[in-house]
Amino acid sequence: MSNSSQCSADPAACAMIDACHETGVNLIWDRVATMMPQCRYGVQGICCRICTMGPCRINPAGKNKVGICGATADTIAARNLVRMIAAGTAAHSDHGRGVAHTLLMAAEGKGDYKIRDEVKLRGLARELGVVEKGKPVLEVAKGVALAVSAQYGQQEGEVVFALRAPADQLKRWRENGVVPRGMDREVVDIMHRTTMGVDSEFHSILHQGVRTALADGWSGSMIATEISDVLFGTPDPIRSRVNLGVLDAKMVNILVHGHEPLLSEMIVIACQDAELIALAKSKGATGINLAGICCTANEILMRHGVPVAGNFLHQELAVATGVVDAMIVDVQCVMPGLGDLGTTFHTKFISTSKMAHFATTEHIQFEESSALESAKKIVRAGIENYPNRKGRAMVPDVRSDMVAGFTAENIATFLGGKYRATYRPLNDAVMSGRFRGAVAVVGCNNPKQCQDAGHVAIIKELLRNDVIVIATGCAAIAAAKVGLLTPEAAEEWGGEGIREVCSTVGIPPVLHMGACVDISRVLMVATNIVKEGGLGTSIVDLPVAGVAPEWMSEKAVAIGFYVIASGIYTVLGSPLPIEGGPGVLDYLTNGIEKVFGGKFAFESDPIKSARLMIDHIDAKRKALGLPPAMYAPKGEAGAREAVAV
Ligand code: SF4
Ligand code: MSK
């Protein structure tokens, strides 16, 4: 059992971990400890169980230098890795498929969903070749829904949104045959080519990984983001609060967890229903309190300001407060062991997706055709559970204010002004050296690393060096928990350049840009910077980088691949499971840069990780002929970390 301060940098988490340990409640950190040491073959990616001649474990220094079929360590490592990309792409893209289906239902007048951003809808229609001029909105919506849905099964050609990329990047993709055809097509291609006895040349396997990942970033995830904006509204900056302290012991606490906004949008409405609020009061509560975990939280945070109870590693801890009356889960990042906590705490776990059933949850099927009715039924179940609270009610008094909801569109408004929305001031800030560059900090928590510590230390080091940060997913929540998503953080943590720009326009130095699928927004920010001019002709030229300090999900592998293939240098806080394949390792951390413009680096030390990115940014500035950063870094590297996390 680990000391809580080794498990998490978050005081709310530490308090809950200590309380759980005192009462013998088993948490994810305890399960990590008993799992150690983990199998080195798995960690290095050189265990193959693709056919039943195996499993084969490769030992380059021993007798088994190849598998029974003759597959090398590189072949096995590459095959295992791209299968992770296939799974990650499938998850993101299926999310987009569900949103597109809901748009179709809205267009056909079925269910409770409405079109909230007609301007974006009509813009998408023009891009997709759907006639919109003079057509009623629902007819346009139907055309857009059918057009984006068709992208999934497209057999040949190029996915439409890939054409948004800067011409130079698209040229690289075309020259290397990796422009995606359709999401389903690319995922199936990976599963076929990696089955026993098909593709064994590791570059070829990895390039199909690139193609599939691009199908995620430049199509599946982009569809999820764009159509969610059409249906639920394109976000604008909005204030809210974060951490376990947003739970209220006197109220019925309903938590939504997972990734998809379809149900949670309706839960937001259901929680405001007068009849349900009256029911909650009749049970002795003062009202209904809705909050979120993980990326479902990010979705309803950005559009409604719903508070966030925490990121990935907070899911068990939230239940352990004893005041969560219902945890409603959809898909992705929901720990199967979560329901077991129900034997200790009263929380009712309600699964809602046809795709995600749990042995220990109650399943209430969410039907898009009767969305609000489903949502009310689910909220009602949570209210009915309020009187069943037992044992402790311990809500750590820890919460922070934040501003979320930045997008590729509203950055232009914030920096350029409402009547002259433009990226010009952003590009000028980079060209002058006030902003040394920009970094996207993304990804999960991983219980093998101290929760949030990597995210927060890297971000503070970047800000100190005048590197503006964009954050999504659990990384954004980590930043929010320590107050980095407030305009005041620019003054506290930013170098002189960050302070000059962010304080002038009143934005935080860390821009919350949404959920995991919204990294598609980050791609569009980079694209818009290129198109604005003055910083090269391709994303490859930009003084930017990406980092996933605490990644754990297959989705993160897909994201990492589409980000490097889009020309962005990317640092991972723990290595990809490829270190047993020397050729694969060298290609992904070296050779691939010449082909697509980006590459991976692995670095677990947050300050060294930030340094790698700052050095990369400085090299890009030099190549562009830009002056160095305008101001010297503020303070010393990592100096305030001990007191700040
Ligand atoms: Fe072993 Fe080859 Fe079968 Fe993999 S595909 S399990 S390396 S025999
Ligand atoms: S929720 S994929 S733990 S970011 Fe998107 Fe967080 Fe990673 Fe899940």
Side-chain angles (χ1 to χ4, degrees), residues 259 294-295 312 333 443-445 473-474 516 552-553 555:
H259 277 77
C294 277
C295 283
F312 177 70
C333 300
C444 322
N445 290 142
C474 290
C516 311
M552 62 84 196
S553 165
K555 292 178 287 174

PDB file of all heavy atoms in Angstrom, residues 259 294-295 312 333 443-445 473-474 516 552-553 555, ligand 2:
ATOM      1  N   HIS A 259     -17.552   9.423 -21.724  1.00  0.00           N
ATOM      2  CA  HIS A 259     -17.090  10.295 -22.806  1.00  0.00           C
ATOM      3  C   HIS A 259     -18.153  10.955 -23.649  1.00  0.00           C
ATOM      4  O   HIS A 259     -17.896  11.980 -24.265  1.00  0.00           O
ATOM      5  CB  HIS A 259     -16.133   9.519 -23.719  1.00  0.00           C
ATOM      6  CG  HIS A 259     -14.748   9.504 -23.168  1.00  0.00           C
ATOM      7  ND1 HIS A 259     -14.384   8.696 -22.129  1.00  0.00           N
ATOM      8  CD2 HIS A 259     -13.656  10.239 -23.471  1.00  0.00           C
ATOM      9  CE1 HIS A 259     -13.120   8.914 -21.820  1.00  0.00           C
ATOM     10  NE2 HIS A 259     -12.658   9.850 -22.624  1.00  0.00           N
ATOM     11  N   CYS A 294     -13.972  12.781 -15.817  1.00  0.00           N
ATOM     12  CA  CYS A 294     -13.347  12.473 -17.113  1.00  0.00           C
ATOM     13  C   CYS A 294     -13.949  13.325 -18.236  1.00  0.00           C
ATOM     14  O   CYS A 294     -14.326  14.465 -18.017  1.00  0.00           O
ATOM     15  CB  CYS A 294     -13.432  10.990 -17.445  1.00  0.00           C
ATOM     16  SG  CYS A 294     -12.134  10.006 -16.664  1.00  0.00           S
ATOM     17  N   CYS A 295     -14.063  12.758 -19.414  1.00  0.00           N
ATOM     18  CA  CYS A 295     -14.381  13.601 -20.575  1.00  0.00           C
ATOM     19  C   CYS A 295     -15.857  13.891 -20.749  1.00  0.00           C
ATOM     20  O   CYS A 295     -16.215  14.906 -21.346  1.00  0.00           O
ATOM     21  CB  CYS A 295     -13.772  13.002 -21.839  1.00  0.00           C
ATOM     22  SG  CYS A 295     -11.994  13.345 -21.918  1.00  0.00           S
ATOM     23  N   PHE A 312      -9.511  11.033 -14.292  1.00  0.00           N
ATOM     24  CA  PHE A 312      -9.615   9.563 -14.312  1.00  0.00           C
ATOM     25  C   PHE A 312      -9.434   8.922 -12.936  1.00  0.00           C
ATOM     26  O   PHE A 312     -10.217   8.068 -12.527  1.00  0.00           O
ATOM     27  CB  PHE A 312      -8.582   9.019 -15.312  1.00  0.00           C
ATOM     28  CG  PHE A 312      -8.526   7.533 -15.388  1.00  0.00           C
ATOM     29  CD1 PHE A 312      -9.574   6.808 -15.945  1.00  0.00           C
ATOM     30  CD2 PHE A 312      -7.433   6.828 -14.900  1.00  0.00           C
ATOM     31  CE1 PHE A 312      -9.533   5.422 -16.020  1.00  0.00           C
ATOM     32  CE2 PHE A 312      -7.386   5.449 -14.968  1.00  0.00           C
ATOM     33  CZ  PHE A 312      -8.438   4.743 -15.527  1.00  0.00           C
ATOM     34  N   CYS A 333     -13.031   4.576 -20.292  1.00  0.00           N
ATOM     35  CA  CYS A 333     -12.343   5.017 -19.086  1.00  0.00           C
ATOM     36  C   CYS A 333     -13.133   4.787 -17.798  1.00  0.00           C
ATOM     37  O   CYS A 333     -12.833   5.380 -16.761  1.00  0.00           O
ATOM     38  CB  CYS A 333     -11.911   6.481 -19.195  1.00  0.00           C
ATOM     39  SG  CYS A 333     -10.792   6.749 -20.588  1.00  0.00           S
ATOM     40  N   GLY A 443      -4.043  14.098 -22.336  1.00  0.00           N
ATOM     41  CA  GLY A 443      -3.978  12.716 -21.880  1.00  0.00           C
ATOM     42  C   GLY A 443      -4.468  12.492 -20.464  1.00  0.00           C
ATOM     43  O   GLY A 443      -4.992  13.377 -19.805  1.00  0.00           O
ATOM     44  N   CYS A 444      -4.197  11.272 -20.014  1.00  0.00           N
ATOM     45  CA  CYS A 444      -4.898  10.661 -18.907  1.00  0.00           C
ATOM     46  C   CYS A 444      -4.188  10.905 -17.578  1.00  0.00           C
ATOM     47  O   CYS A 444      -3.251  11.687 -17.472  1.00  0.00           O
ATOM     48  CB  CYS A 444      -4.937   9.165 -19.165  1.00  0.00           C
ATOM     49  SG  CYS A 444      -5.175   8.711 -20.897  1.00  0.00           S
ATOM     50  N   ASN A 445      -4.664  10.183 -16.548  1.00  0.00           N
ATOM     51  CA  ASN A 445      -3.888   9.836 -15.358  1.00  0.00           C
ATOM     52  C   ASN A 445      -3.480   8.382 -15.504  1.00  0.00           C
ATOM     53  O   ASN A 445      -4.146   7.603 -16.173  1.00  0.00           O
ATOM     54  CB  ASN A 445      -4.717   9.941 -14.081  1.00  0.00           C
ATOM     55  CG  ASN A 445      -5.086  11.339 -13.680  1.00  0.00           C
ATOM     56  OD1 ASN A 445      -6.196  11.557 -13.202  1.00  0.00           O
ATOM     57  ND2 ASN A 445      -4.182  12.285 -13.828  1.00  0.00           N
ATOM     58  N   GLY A 473      -8.867  16.874 -22.057  1.00  0.00           N
ATOM     59  CA  GLY A 473      -9.011  15.621 -21.331  1.00  0.00           C
ATOM     60  C   GLY A 473      -8.661  15.743 -19.857  1.00  0.00           C
ATOM     61  O   GLY A 473      -8.883  16.767 -19.207  1.00  0.00           O
ATOM     62  N   CYS A 474      -8.072  14.674 -19.327  1.00  0.00           N
ATOM     63  CA  CYS A 474      -7.742  14.656 -17.902  1.00  0.00           C
ATOM     64  C   CYS A 474      -6.594  15.604 -17.572  1.00  0.00           C
ATOM     65  O   CYS A 474      -6.463  16.040 -16.425  1.00  0.00           O
ATOM     66  CB  CYS A 474      -7.420  13.230 -17.469  1.00  0.00           C
ATOM     67  SG  CYS A 474      -8.896  12.189 -17.462  1.00  0.00           S
ATOM     68  N   CYS A 516     -11.064  14.438 -24.901  1.00  0.00           N
ATOM     69  CA  CYS A 516     -10.045  13.759 -25.737  1.00  0.00           C
ATOM     70  C   CYS A 516     -10.320  13.959 -27.218  1.00  0.00           C
ATOM     71  O   CYS A 516      -9.399  14.228 -27.995  1.00  0.00           O
ATOM     72  CB  CYS A 516     -10.047  12.264 -25.488  1.00  0.00           C
ATOM     73  SG  CYS A 516     -10.004  11.748 -23.797  1.00  0.00           S
ATOM     74  N   MET A 552      -2.357   6.551 -20.575  1.00  0.00           N
ATOM     75  CA  MET A 552      -2.519   5.113 -20.314  1.00  0.00           C
ATOM     76  C   MET A 552      -3.397   4.433 -21.352  1.00  0.00           C
ATOM     77  O   MET A 552      -3.369   3.222 -21.486  1.00  0.00           O
ATOM     78  CB  MET A 552      -3.074   4.876 -18.906  1.00  0.00           C
ATOM     79  CG  MET A 552      -4.438   5.449 -18.609  1.00  0.00           C
ATOM     80  SD  MET A 552      -5.787   4.383 -19.152  1.00  0.00           S
ATOM     81  CE  MET A 552      -7.162   5.503 -19.111  1.00  0.00           C
ATOM     82  N   SER A 553      -4.183   5.179 -22.113  1.00  0.00           N
ATOM     83  CA  SER A 553      -5.235   4.579 -22.930  1.00  0.00           C
ATOM     84  C   SER A 553      -4.758   4.277 -24.353  1.00  0.00           C
ATOM     85  O   SER A 553      -3.873   4.957 -24.889  1.00  0.00           O
ATOM     86  CB  SER A 553      -6.409   5.568 -22.975  1.00  0.00           C
ATOM     87  OG  SER A 553      -7.300   5.242 -23.997  1.00  0.00           O
ATOM     88  N   LYS A 555      -6.454   5.011 -26.765  1.00  0.00           N
ATOM     89  CA  LYS A 555      -6.825   6.244 -27.493  1.00  0.00           C
ATOM     90  C   LYS A 555      -5.650   7.211 -27.538  1.00  0.00           C
ATOM     91  O   LYS A 555      -5.467   7.930 -28.517  1.00  0.00           O
ATOM     92  CB  LYS A 555      -8.030   6.911 -26.816  1.00  0.00           C
ATOM     93  CG  LYS A 555      -9.312   6.119 -26.936  1.00  0.00           C
ATOM     94  CD  LYS A 555     -10.455   6.790 -26.211  1.00  0.00           C
ATOM     95  CE  LYS A 555     -10.318   6.665 -24.714  1.00  0.00           C
ATOM     96  NZ  LYS A 555     -11.334   7.426 -23.971  1.00  0.00           N
TER      97      LYS A 555
HETATM   98  S1  MSK B   2     -10.935  10.608 -20.074  1.00  0.00           S
HETATM   99  S2  MSK B   2      -8.738   8.687 -22.384  1.00  0.00           S
HETATM  100  S3  MSK B   2      -8.289   8.984 -19.023  1.00  0.00           S
HETATM  101  S4  MSK B   2      -7.734  11.760 -20.979  1.00  0.00           S
HETATM  102 FE1  MSK B   2     -10.883  11.234 -21.951  1.00  0.00          FE
HETATM  103 FE2  MSK B   2      -8.962  10.992 -19.336  1.00  0.00          FE
HETATM  104 FE3  MSK B   2      -7.440   9.591 -20.956  1.00  0.00          FE
HETATM  105 FE4  MSK B   2      -9.839   8.758 -20.448  1.00  0.00          FE
END
